[in-house]
């Protein structure tokens, strides 16, 4: 057995969270859930971390909930409801983490594992990656935020099709549907691509990205006026930041900006 169900590391401003139950294809069991919550909080509170990679060990991302822990009938009813509700004490922290989050997906991202991937801002997938709202195969409905995230990414009609059929979506189709940002090679290339993407945010304003992310994550639930008010408050905060003041001075001095996505390294 692995020493910890979730591993964390921070290097050069990039935090990595690794689901670490390769013997079970990183299925979410009772031990992994609080460990994952703690890892997300660690990345949130570390001011040195400007981007986060979420991945899985052993050639799998996450195969979903651990079915072996679903056989106890005593957990049915209200106790099970409380277990599901407990997931939503930490999952929104991942969805709304005010730093870029990159899911590096190899192998299955099934059930709750698909939800974890969709919680990221960018999903990098190998050609071995497979996504599935597998819940219907065992008579369940999607959980861990899938019914909120999936329609917003692929549209209502397609989301219903994926949920009702519980069919497997290969990497290429997932990219066409907007679930995957890019497809990369298997093996070390996945980690390298995730690190390269994360490091490109190293000179960006984490505060500005974080506030923009928070507002956009609420854009479907708020009307235009409410979004405009959030925009006004956030822009005011950014306007007074040392980062913005430095950028303006660099522009005036005809010096390169610290963050320029189009500038070649």
């Amino acid at each position: 057995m692995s020493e910890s169900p979730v591993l964390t590391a921070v290097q050069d401003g990039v935090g990595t969270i690794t689901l670490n139950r390769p013997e079970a294809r990183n299925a979410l069991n009772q031990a992994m859930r609080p460990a994952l919550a703690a890892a997300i909080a660690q990345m949130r509170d570390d001011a040195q971390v400007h981007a986060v990679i979420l991945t899985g060990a052993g050639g799998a991302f996450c195969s979903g909930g651990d079915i072996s822990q679903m056989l106890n009938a005593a957990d049915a009813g209200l106790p099970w409801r409380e277990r599901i509700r407990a997931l939503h004490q930490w999952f929104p922290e991942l969805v709304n983490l005010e730093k870029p989050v990159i899911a590096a997906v190899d192998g299955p991202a099934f059930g709750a594992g698909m939800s974890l991937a969709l919680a990221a801002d960018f999903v990098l997938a190998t050609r071995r990656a497979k996504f599935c709202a597998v819940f219907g195969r065992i008579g369940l409905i999607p959980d861990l935020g899938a019914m909120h995230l999936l329609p917003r990414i692929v549209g209502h009609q397609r989301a219903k099709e994926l949920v009702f059929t519980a069919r497997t979506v290969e990497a290429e189709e997932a990219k066409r549907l907007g679930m995957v940002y890019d497809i990369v090679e298997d093996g070390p290339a996945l980690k390298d691509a995730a690190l390269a993407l994360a490091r490109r945010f190293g000179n960006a304003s984490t505060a500005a990205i974080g506030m923009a992310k928070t507002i956009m994550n609420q854009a479907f639930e708020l009307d235009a006026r409410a979004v405009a008010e959030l925009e006004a408050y956030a822009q005011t905060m950014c306007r007074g930041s040392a980062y913005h003041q430095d950028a303006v001075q660099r522009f005036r001095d005809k010096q390169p900006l610290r963050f320029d996505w189009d500038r070649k390294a």
Side-chain angles (χ1 to χ4, degrees):
M1 292 292 292
S2 302
E3 72 282 4
S4 173
V6 176
L7 304 177
T8 61
V10 176
Q11 185 175 8
D12 299 328
V14 177
T16 301
I17 299 173
T18 303
L19 308 179
N20 189 41
R21 294 187 67 219
E23 72 284 352
R25 296 191 300 174
N26 302 317
L28 286 170
N29 65 359
Q30 287 295 92
M32 183 180 281
R33 297 175 188 190
L36 187 52
I40 295 166
Q42 175 189 339
M43 300 303 167
R44 178 197 64 206
D45 296 338
D46 190 338
Q48 301 304 310
V49 172
H50 66 255
V52 177
I53 296 170
L54 176 63
T55 193
F61 183 71
C62 175
S63 59
D66 193 332
I67 295 180
S68 67
Q69 296 187 345
M70 300 180 188
L71 298 177
N72 186 0
D75 285 341
L78 290 177
W80 188 264
R81 178 173 181 255
E82 292 307 310
R83 283 179 61 176
I84 297 299
R85 294 180 73 186
L87 297 174
H88 296 283
Q89 295 178 10
W90 58 263
F91 185 67
E93 291 286 345
L94 175 61
V95 175
N96 298 307
L97 187 65
E98 290 199 339
K99 300 171 183 182
V101 177
I102 300 156
V105 179
D106 190 19
F110 277 28
M114 186 185 76
S115 299
L116 286 173
L118 297 183
D121 302 301
F122 305 95
V123 177
L124 297 180
T126 70
R127 298 187 187 281
R128 300 187 303 189
K130 301 178 186 295
F131 302 82
C132 183
V134 72
F135 308 91
R137 298 185 188 180
I138 56 173
L140 296 177
I141 67 168
D143 59 23
L144 199 63
M147 288 192 287
H148 181 81
L149 294 170
L150 189 60
R152 285 160 174 76
I153 294 170
V154 304
H156 260 103
Q157 182 169 246
R158 186 61 71 189
K160 290 176 183 177
E161 184 254 332
L162 295 178
V163 170
F164 296 174
T165 64
R167 69 177 179 85
T168 300
V169 178
E170 304 286 341
E172 290 286 356
E173 182 185 5
K175 185 178 181 182
R176 291 196 301 271
L177 292 174
M179 298 167 67
V180 166
Y181 175 69
D182 203 4
I183 297 175
V184 301
E185 296 301 318
D186 301 343
L190 175 62
K191 180 180 179 181
D192 292 344
L195 283 171
L197 180 56
R199 286 169 177 161
R200 292 190 70 180
F201 293 103
N203 289 324
S205 168
T206 302
I209 287 177
M211 284 186 277
K213 176 176 175 176
T214 293
I215 294 171
M216 286 191 287
N217 279 1
Q218 299 180 63
F220 285 97
E221 283 72 46
L222 301 176
D223 62 25
R225 179 173 296 181
V227 173
E229 284 299 314
L230 290 173
E231 173 192 298
Y233 285 115
Q235 192 72 304
T236 300
M237 295 178 68
C238 290
R239 177 69 177 81
S241 69
Y243 187 100
H244 172 70
Q245 297 299 319
D246 175 71
V248 170
Q249 190 61 52
R250 285 170 179 264
F251 181 81
R252 289 175 174 173
D253 294 342
K254 302 186 185 303
Q255 296 296 316
L257 297 176
R258 288 171 57 193
F259 181 61
D260 184 347
W261 192 266
D262 296 323
R263 186 170 61 222
K264 302 297 183 181

